[in-house]
Amino acid sequence: MSTDRKSIPVSLPEGLVDELDELVEEGKFGSRSEALRYGARLVAREAQQKRMHDRRANAAEQDIEDRLERKRVR
């Protein structure tokens, strides 16, 4: 195992393991581990995109509030 990876124990429902095995058998992934890494990257990317979206939405809301406040002060 390379030094840039960390092994973690994972327990999965039997049906999900069967699905992973089927994906490996179909050649979609080289191993269960590869399939799980792919899934973990998808989850992490989705979470990152949600955080970015939330920050942008909050910034836009703040910008609107600031503009409205400046209008009121005039």
Side-chain angles (χ1 to χ4, degrees):
M1 183 182 305
S2 68
T3 58
D4 65 334
R5 294 186 187 201
K6 184 175 182 178
S7 180
I8 59 169
V10 177
S11 295
L12 300 171
E14 187 175 331
L16 185 53
V17 174
D18 292 342
E19 288 291 331
L20 289 173
D21 288 344
E22 190 172 322
L23 290 169
V24 171
E25 288 173 17
E26 293 171 354
K28 306 266 194 251
F29 296 99
S31 66
R32 288 175 178 170
S33 291
E34 184 182 324
L36 290 171
R37 281 191 296 273
Y38 180 82
R41 283 192 298 271
L42 287 177
V43 169
R45 185 179 310 136
E46 184 176 308
Q48 181 183 35
Q49 288 175 341
K50 183 178 182 333
R51 286 191 298 270
M52 287 173 50
H53 171 77
D54 290 346
R55 282 194 297 267
R56 287 180 181 149
N58 290 338
E61 288 175 13
Q62 186 62 51
D63 183 54
I64 291 168
E65 288 178 26
D66 292 346
R67 289 170 187 249
L68 290 172
E69 182 61 28
R70 283 195 301 264
K71 275 185 121 174
R72 281 185 228 129
V73 172
R74 289 183 182 172

